[in-house]
């Protein structure tokens, strides 16, 4: 039957589930660096070569999917030539870098400025910010410890940056889930110049509290710039609608075998961990209630819909992943300057997932039980967030099977994201650009 809508979960549970999805991707990126780049982790590499590894990143924004026409981002601002050459970034990505600080704050490489990246992932945009503003303090708060560890490793391996150029916050050591609210409690009032976030705000519960805290820690004139998801309708409506536009009565009476029908809200929360399922108007209203204002005229929106460009984007991304196999050349997968195939990139075991212990009975994993995976290369770090029913078996499988696990997980994810946008029509994209009044 139709499952009830999931209740909003705390951060720990959300990131516990997200860690499962990111394991296969993290293994893949770590091993490709080790196996396909010259001297692997033992050598520094250009930023643009390392960033190209994260071929799943939604922050890789191109001109093919432009900013909304009603956005107040100034796309005419020019980046310094050395930054353009180092980053090999699209004009859209450069526009983000140039709009995040005001003209005065940009002086002397952002000296005296602090920029916070919420949900920084593998740190691609975080490192871009540090390269653009070398004299600023850039802080990355990544919720998932495995991903955060890899972000630090990639920063260490970036030729343009020192190993400690970016601060990655670890509240209680390498194995800790970084709750953004806990970090905000450490930040004084009026201490942050800018806050960026790319597809992470949607995961965080209690948006009024979050936006109020952002407002508190920002300096007067401080800016927020988010790429995020929005819902097509309030949660109460999505709870009544089935994914796939199915007729619930017809399906319950005509199905020959029992099945679980999924509401659109269920699917939003399962696939992309959408905590609040805010509509565009709700998002804008909550920011205004927190006292944020537009970067343009007072009547201009703080949140601009990008759904019309995201619909084809997520479909194209799903189509591209569906074509990938173990034999696909790394260059054809978007990783330039690297020889080999997706499969060959995994031929040698990586540092993640060398030893694993699962609760078993008669040699079989017990359903619903968590496993313990000790990671080499991360001293005293033991991950306990691995549900054996959901986590790829990459920790014990041979490298040849890991690429299949990786591709299967990514294909499924991007197919379902495309369904949310195009078939279910319950999810959209948005850009948020606002400031704290001066």
């Amino acid at each position: 039957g139709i499952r009830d809508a999931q209740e909003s979960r705390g951060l720990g549970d959300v990131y516990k589930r997200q860690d499962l999805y990111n394991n296969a991707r993290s293994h893949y990126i770590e091993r490709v660096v080790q196996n396909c780049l010259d001297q692997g982790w033992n050598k520094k590499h250009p930023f643009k070569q390392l960033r190209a590894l994260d071929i799943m990143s939604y922050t890789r924004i191109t001109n093919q999917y432009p900013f909304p026409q009603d956005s107040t981002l100034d796309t005419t601002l020019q980046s310094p030539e050395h930054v353009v050459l180092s980053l090999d970034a699209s004009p859209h990505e450069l526009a983000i870098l140039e709009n995040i600080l005001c003209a005065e704050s940009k002086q002397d490489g952002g000296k005296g400025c602090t920029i916070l990246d919420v949900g920084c992932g593998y740190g691609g945009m975080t490192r871009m910010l540090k390269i653009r503003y070398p004299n600023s303090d850039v802080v990355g708060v990544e919720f998932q410890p495995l991903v955060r560890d890899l972000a630090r490793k990639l920063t260490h391996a970036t030729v343009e940056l020192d190993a400690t150029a970016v601060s990655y916050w670890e509240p209680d050591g390498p194995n800790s889930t970084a709750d953004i609210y806990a970090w905000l409690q450490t930040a004084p009032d009026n201490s942050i110049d800018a806050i960026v976030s790319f597809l992470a705000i949607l995961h965080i519960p209690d948006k009024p509290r979050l936006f109020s805290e952002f407002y508190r820690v920002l300096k007067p004139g401080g800016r927020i710039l988010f790429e995020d998801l929005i819902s097509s309708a309030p949660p109460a409506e999505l709870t009544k609608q089935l994914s796939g536009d199915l007729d619930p009565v017809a399906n319950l009476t005509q199905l020959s075998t029992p099945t679980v029908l999924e509401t659109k809200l269920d699917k939003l929360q399962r696939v992309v961990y959408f905590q609040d399922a805010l509509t565009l108007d709700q998002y804008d209203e909550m920011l205004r209630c927190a006292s944020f204002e537009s970067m343009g005229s007072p009547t201009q929106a703080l949140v601009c819909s990008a759904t019309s460009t995201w619909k084809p984007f997520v479909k194209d991304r799903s189509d591209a992943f569906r074509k990938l196999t173990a034999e696909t050349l790394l260059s054809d997968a978007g990783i330039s300057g690297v020889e080999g195939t997706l499969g060959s990139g995994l031929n040698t075991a990586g540092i993640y997932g060398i030893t694993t212990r699962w609760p078993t009975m008669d040699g079989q994993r017990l359903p619903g039980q968590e496993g313990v995976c000790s990671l080499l290369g991360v001293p005293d770090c033991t991950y306990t967030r691995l549900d054996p029913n959901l986590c790829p078996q990459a920790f014990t499988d041979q490298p040849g099977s890991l690429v299949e696990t990786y591709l299967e997980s990514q294909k499924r994810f991007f197919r379902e994201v495309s369904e949310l946008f195009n078939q279910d029509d319950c999810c959209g994209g948005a850009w948020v650009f606002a400031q704290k009044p001066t």
Side-chain angles (χ1 to χ4, degrees):
I2 303 174
R3 293 187 284 113
D4 293 333
Q6 298 173 357
E7 297 180 359
S8 179
R9 294 177 170 84
L11 282 174
D13 185 63
V14 171
Y15 304 135
K16 177 194 242 183
R17 290 182 292 127
Q18 259 201 300
D19 231 4
L20 305 175
Y21 156 66
N22 277 304
N23 277 326
R25 181 166 58 161
S26 298
H27 287 308
Y28 166 76
I29 293 174
E30 190 271 332
R31 290 193 184 186
V32 169
V33 173
Q34 176 171 293
N35 299 330
C36 298
L37 298 186
D38 180 30
Q39 298 182 48
W41 292 106
N42 296 320
K43 179 180 176 181
K44 291 267 192 176
H45 305 279
F47 165 85
K48 53 190 176 184
Q49 187 177 52
L50 290 174
R51 186 174 185 234
L53 292 168
D54 191 6
I55 59 176
M56 288 69 61
S57 176
Y58 277 113
T59 59
R60 189 65 180 175
I61 309 151
T62 67
N63 291 347
Q64 185 179 355
Y65 311 103
F67 290 120
Q69 291 185 349
D70 55 347
S71 171
T72 55
L73 274 87
D74 185 353
T75 57
T76 66
L77 297 175
Q78 300 295 310
S79 297
E81 184 177 0
H82 74 278
V83 172
V84 176
L85 294 175
S86 294
L87 300 181
D88 190 27
S90 72
H92 283 44
E93 292 167 328
L94 295 174
I96 292 171
L97 295 177
E98 297 308 319
N99 277 271
I100 195 58
L101 293 178
C102 66
E104 182 179 353
S105 297
K106 289 181 183 181
Q107 296 177 7
D108 195 14
K111 185 176 182 179
C113 292
T114 299
I115 304 173
L116 171 66
D117 188 348
V118 178
C120 65
Y122 299 108
M125 183 58 70
T126 317
R127 289 185 287 277
M128 291 179 78
L129 287 163
K130 184 62 178 179
I131 292 171
R132 172 61 182 93
Y133 302 109
N135 295 325
S136 67
D137 292 325
V138 179
V139 180
V141 176
E142 169 49 40
F143 317 118
Q144 303 160 90
L146 186 68
V147 176
R148 183 173 65 236
D149 177 64
L150 193 51
R152 180 180 287 104
K153 284 166 62 65
L154 288 167
T155 300
H156 187 280
T158 300
V159 72
E160 293 89 350
L161 298 172
D162 294 331
T164 58
V166 175
S167 300
Y168 294 101
W169 187 58
E170 290 182 341
D172 300 304
N175 194 34
S176 56
T177 299
D179 185 332
I180 183 59
Y181 288 116
W183 186 89
L184 289 168
Q185 290 176 359
T186 70
D189 296 355
N190 307 312
S191 59
I192 307 295
D193 294 88
I195 301 174
V196 299
S197 184
F198 298 92
L199 293 172
I201 299 298
L202 69 146
H203 304 314
I204 304 174
D206 197 353
K207 297 297 191 300
R209 176 190 174 196
L210 180 69
F211 296 155
S212 178
E213 278 293 280
F214 283 168
Y215 187 88
R216 177 186 66 80
V217 302
L218 280 170
K219 298 176 183 178
R223 300 178 176 184
I224 58 173
L225 201 165
F226 308 151
E227 181 188 37
D228 210 11
L229 296 187
I230 52 176
S231 170
S232 63
E237 293 184 26
L238 296 182
T239 304
K240 303 174 184 177
Q241 302 173 16
L242 286 177
S243 171
D245 295 324
L246 299 173
D247 181 336
V249 176
N251 277 276
L252 288 174
T253 57
Q254 296 177 15
L255 289 172
S256 59
T257 57
T259 188
V260 175
L261 303 181
E262 189 173 36
T263 70
K264 291 183 178 180
L265 182 62
D266 284 340
K267 191 169 181 177
L268 270 177
Q269 294 181 330
R270 175 179 62 80
V271 177
V272 294
Y273 317 107
F274 203 158
Q275 279 286 301
D276 304 287
L278 295 181
T279 64
L280 186 144
D281 290 340
Q282 289 173 327
Y283 209 132
D284 194 279
E285 180 181 359
M286 286 186 182
L287 286 169
R288 293 184 187 278
C289 286
S291 299
F292 282 100
E293 65 178 17
S294 171
M295 295 297 300
S297 67
T299 58
Q300 285 185 285
L302 309 185
V303 185
C304 301
S305 175
T307 302
S308 62
T309 55
W310 273 57
K311 282 177 177 286
F313 171 75
V314 295
K315 182 180 183 302
D316 291 347
R317 183 59 59 90
S318 178
D319 291 344
F321 262 87
R322 190 170 63 248
K323 299 174 183 176
L324 298 181
T325 68
E327 289 72 40
T328 299
L329 295 176
L330 289 168
S331 57
D332 291 342
I335 306 174
S336 60
V338 180
E339 296 182 357
T341 65
L342 290 174
S344 66
L346 304 172
N347 281 340
T348 304
I351 67 163
Y352 293 134
I354 298 304
T355 59
T356 307
R357 299 190 306 277
W358 302 98
T360 61
M361 179 178 291
D362 297 328
Q364 300 295 321
R365 296 179 185 177
L366 293 177
Q369 301 298 310
E370 292 186 342
V372 177
C373 178
S374 300
L375 306 183
L376 300 180
V378 189
D380 303 319
C381 181
T382 300
Y383 288 82
T384 58
R385 300 174 176 77
L386 308 176
D387 182 338
N389 297 311
L390 301 176
C391 180
Q393 299 180 22
F395 302 106
T396 55
D397 285 355
Q398 296 299 311
S401 60
L402 176 55
V403 69
E404 300 302 333
T405 300
Y406 160 73
L407 290 175
E408 179 185 351
S409 69
Q410 306 309 302
K411 289 176 181 180
R412 181 175 63 251
F413 174 73
F414 285 109
R415 183 191 72 243
E416 291 192 311
V417 170
S418 181
E419 290 171 356
L420 288 171
F421 275 80
N422 294 291
Q423 282 77 44
D424 296 322
D425 197 25
C426 62
C427 190
W431 284 99
V432 179
F433 190 36
Q435 70 175 357
K436 181 175 180 177
T438 55

